[in-house]
Structures are given as structure tokens and as C-alpha cells.
Amino acid sequence: KEIQQQIADFQIDNKEQLEQFRIAYVGRKGVVADLFEGLKNVPQEDRRAVGQELNTLKNFAQHKFDEFQVIMEAAGDKSVAFEFDLTLPNIPFENGTIHPLTSVKARIIEIFEKMGFNVSDGPEIESDFYNFTALNFPENHPAREMQDTFFIEKKGGNVADDILLRTHTSNVQIRLMQNQKPPLRSIMPGRVYRNEAISARAHCLFHQVEGLYIDKNVGFKDLKDTLYHFAKEMFGKDTKVRYRPSYFPFTEPSAEIDVTCLICKGKGCNVCKYTGWVEIAGSGMVDPNVLEQCGIDSKEYTGFAFGMGIERITMLKYQIKDLRLFTENDVRFLRQFEGV
Ligand code: PHE
């Protein structure tokens, strides 16, 4: 890529520069030829792919050389700076593709926007207060260990002052409730971090979308309806949705939401651990303690919250079986999402 950029940037205004370009990039002793020479040291399994890339580079250099040779010939001995023929074909850069996590995030936002949610944002580097304490995680409570936290700074005083990488997007809930008055109806997409070993199913960095709806008379039925509608829109009408009782310190009651595994169509596979169901979100009614902490009268207002993993949803939607593919930037993977 770097050399491709050098080739693209190389300025050719006269015949000497054209010759310099030829020697540096096109000729048999040039950079590209050197790279081809090194191909024999590339492991057998990668050689094809690297070879293809080199061919692209070689054609690219040759193309530029040919183009300028024509220009120079037409110009005779004159310098040709700024006399480019704008009707010549463009330098052959390939189009990129939108990352699948980006397009799924956009789709999630679209679905919730149609239900009247707006989008909010918050910091990834966060204090313990917003990530845990304000969300009703008591100090020294084992619930803090549910999420393996990367701490940046332990202040050694009040734990609420410690600095960490947020383990979930729920910190944005708190910031929103502190800064705005209900009714609130917002989703909060963002990156989160957990100290987990990287595998096909877990990563130390992933993405969530938090949702928060606070108003008068918001009930559990609203939570169920909202997420049911979301699942049908996202995965199709045939998708089944189920709610399982669960526990989160900041919601009561709490539920986890499962949908039919789209990889095996509910028949059982290693992604759904042979249950036919995949968990896509945690959710629940916002605990009155949390509302009060943020200055919202819990007798007047109620609300629900949910948090879902974007990677999980993308894997289901596109039958991707390994989480690591999202961060490896392998173009063979990414190109499959062309036009999605
Ligand atoms: N923050 C929870 C998690 O990351 C998910 C969640 C969000 C649960 C909102 C309930 C309400 O596991």
C-alpha cells in the first residue's frame, strides 16, 4: 500500500523524471521487481495472495508509466507540468467496502429511529462511578466481577473515582439521565472492553448498543414489544423471540432475550451450543435506585433499558462463525460485504 501510494504520488513533469520513475518502479532493478524477488521467501500458503497483490502493484506502476510516456511524447521536449489530459482513465484504485459492523449498526439505528429513539454517545474511558457505582453495583459486590474490567488507574481512595475502559454502554444511560429530563428515548451505540482471552466467541473489544426509554407508565410490556419488533425487523418475520429471567444490578426485573439461531435455523450448532437459541441482549426495568441517583422521581417515572452486542447480531445475520474476523481486516472477508 505504501509503495502504491509512492507510485501514485511520484511527480513526473519531464523526461528525466519519467526515466527515474521507470528505474525505480518499472525496471528490472526496481522496487516492484525486488518484491517479486522476495516472493520465494513467502510461505507457500500465502504466496498466491501476495503474488496477486504484487501483480496489481506492477500493473499500477506500468499503467502510470505508459500514461506518462504518451504524455511526454506528445509534449516533445517541453515540460508538461499541469498539462494532464483529464479525459484519461483514473488511476486504478479499488473501492473499499463498508465494514459489516458499521452496516449492522446503521440498520439497528434505523430500526430504533423508526420507533422514535434518538442516538446518544458517551466516553469509552470512564470512571468507575458511571460504569458501576451509579448503576447500583455495590462496592466489593461479585457483580463487578461479572465483567472483567481493564482498569487504567486505581486511585486508592473511593473506588468510584477509579478510571477504567467501560465494560458496557450502560455508562451512557447514566450520563443521559443526569443531563436530560424525561421523557427519554435513546439508543447508545459504542465500543466496550473486557479483559477476556480472544477466541472465536470472545474478544477484549466489541460493540454494544444500549437502549433507554423513560417516561410515565412505561411497563415491562413496552420492553417486550420493542425488542420483539426489533428482532423481527432485524432477522425476519420467522424469527422466534424468548425472554429468560436474569439479573443485572441496575434493572429489576431483568430478562435476557434470545432469538432463534439463524446459523442452524434452530436445529442446533456450536454457535448456539446446540440449544437452537442465541442470546442477543440483556434488558430490564430500570431499578428505582438508579433513577433516584440520577435525580429522576421513581414514583413519577419508570423505564426500561437494554444492551445488545453488535458482533453477535452481525454473526447471526451473516452466518459468521468467528468473532476474530471482524478485527483482522482480511480483505477476503471484508470484500464479501460489497454492496451490503
Ligand atoms: N450492560 C449489560 C451488559 O453488558 C446489558 C444490559 C443493558 C442489561 C441494559 C440490562 C439493561 O451485560
Side-chain angles (χ1 to χ4, degrees):
K1 285 273 121 82
E2 217 173 275
I3 295 176
Q4 179 154 351
Q5 195 58 47
Q6 284 172 18
I7 294 175
D9 290 345
F10 197 103
Q11 196 167 346
I12 305 175
D13 290 337
N14 54 44
K15 287 202 166 137
E16 286 79 68
Q17 283 168 350
L18 181 66
E19 180 61 8
Q20 277 163 17
F21 181 83
R22 191 189 65 78
I23 293 166
Y25 298 106
V26 186
R28 272 192 289 124
K29 295 207 166 69
V31 186
V32 183
D34 270 358
L35 287 173
F36 269 107
E37 193 59 29
L39 198 57
K40 61 177 183 289
N41 303 325
V42 172
Q44 186 71 42
E45 66 268 27
D46 300 332
R47 207 171 288 167
R48 236 181 93 95
V50 177
Q52 274 175 3
E53 292 236 6
L54 285 183
N55 267 324
T56 312
L57 197 62
K58 179 177 154 204
N59 293 338
F60 181 58
Q62 187 69 47
H63 185 91
K64 177 156 177 170
F65 177 75
D66 293 347
E67 190 173 76
F68 278 91
Q69 198 172 36
V70 173
I71 296 173
M72 293 303 158
E73 257 157 39
D77 286 333
K78 294 199 300 292
S79 165
V80 291
F82 309 117
E83 285 184 30
F84 295 110
D85 181 352
L86 295 175
T87 63
L88 283 172
N90 205 351
I91 296 165
F93 271 117
E94 286 175 62
N95 283 336
T97 55
I98 292 185
H99 194 283
L101 292 177
T102 308
S103 64
V104 167
K105 179 176 97 177
R107 177 74 185 122
I108 295 172
I109 292 174
E110 182 180 54
I111 295 170
F112 282 104
E113 276 183 342
K114 283 187 183 156
M115 290 192 268
F117 286 77
N118 62 13
V119 179
S120 309
D121 202 4
E124 291 175 25
I125 298 175
E126 188 54 287
S127 69
D128 178 294
F129 177 78
Y130 286 100
N131 196 78
F132 289 129
T133 304
L135 286 154
N136 218 21
F137 284 78
E139 199 175 323
N140 300 323
H141 190 280
R144 282 184 191 239
E145 267 115 67
M146 268 164 58
Q147 306 181 337
D148 304 291
T149 311
F150 285 118
F151 283 95
I152 294 180
E153 203 181 337
K154 294 254 193 199
K155 299 267 172 148
N158 185 355
V159 287
D161 295 334
D162 292 346
I163 307 295
L164 44 80
L165 292 178
R166 66 173 174 194
T167 57
H168 52 188
T169 40
S170 304
N171 64 325
V172 195
Q173 270 191 48
I174 302 297
R175 290 178 176 275
L176 202 66
M177 287 190 276
Q178 282 184 343
N179 296 331
Q180 290 176 31
K181 290 208 174 347
L184 296 173
R185 209 190 289 178
S186 196
I187 58 167
M188 303 147 240
R191 195 180 282 176
V192 302
Y193 303 84
R194 291 187 197 180
N195 189 3
E196 294 205 36
I198 295 171
S199 72
R201 303 176 53 90
H203 210 290
C204 58
L205 163 172
F206 58 101
H207 299 77
Q208 288 188 332
V209 176
E210 191 85 1
L212 181 69
Y213 183 11
I214 308 233
D215 204 346
K216 292 174 181 160
N217 301 317
V218 176
F220 197 77
K221 181 178 186 304
D222 300 307
L223 162 67
K224 281 181 75 174
D225 286 350
T226 305
L227 290 165
Y228 180 86
H229 177 75
F230 167 77
K232 297 271 171 174
E233 284 290 303
M234 192 70 194
F235 301 116
K237 294 262 176 294
D238 297 335
T239 310
K240 293 204 183 72
V241 184
R242 75 175 185 187
Y243 302 82
R244 268 181 303 112
S246 185
Y247 171 77
F248 299 101
F250 40 98
T251 50
E252 182 62 33
S254 305
E256 263 160 327
I257 293 143
D258 297 345
V259 297
T260 338
C261 178
L262 288 179
I263 294 185
C264 59
K265 308 273 179 278
K267 288 194 198 71
C269 66
N270 59 350
V271 171
C272 59
K273 298 200 193 114
Y274 300 93
T275 61
W277 294 95
V278 185
E279 182 213 320
I280 59 157
S283 68
M285 302 306 294
V286 181
D287 194 300
N289 280 340
V290 175
L291 295 174
E292 296 288 341
Q293 266 264 12
C294 298
I296 294 173
D297 184 351
S298 64
K299 286 182 213 62
E300 193 178 359
Y301 290 104
T302 50
F304 69 75
F306 59 84
M308 57 177 91
I310 305 184
E311 276 79 355
R312 186 68 69 79
I313 289 169
T314 310
M315 288 169 93
L316 277 179
K317 197 166 166 68
Y318 296 118
Q319 336 246 295
I320 298 164
K321 295 194 182 122
D322 193 326
L323 196 61
R324 290 168 291 197
L325 287 163
F326 292 125
T327 41
E328 281 169 350
N329 284 337
D330 185 333
V331 286
R332 291 168 301 180
F333 170 70
L334 297 173
R335 279 217 185 100
Q336 296 176 58
F337 298 91
E338 206 146 20
V340 164

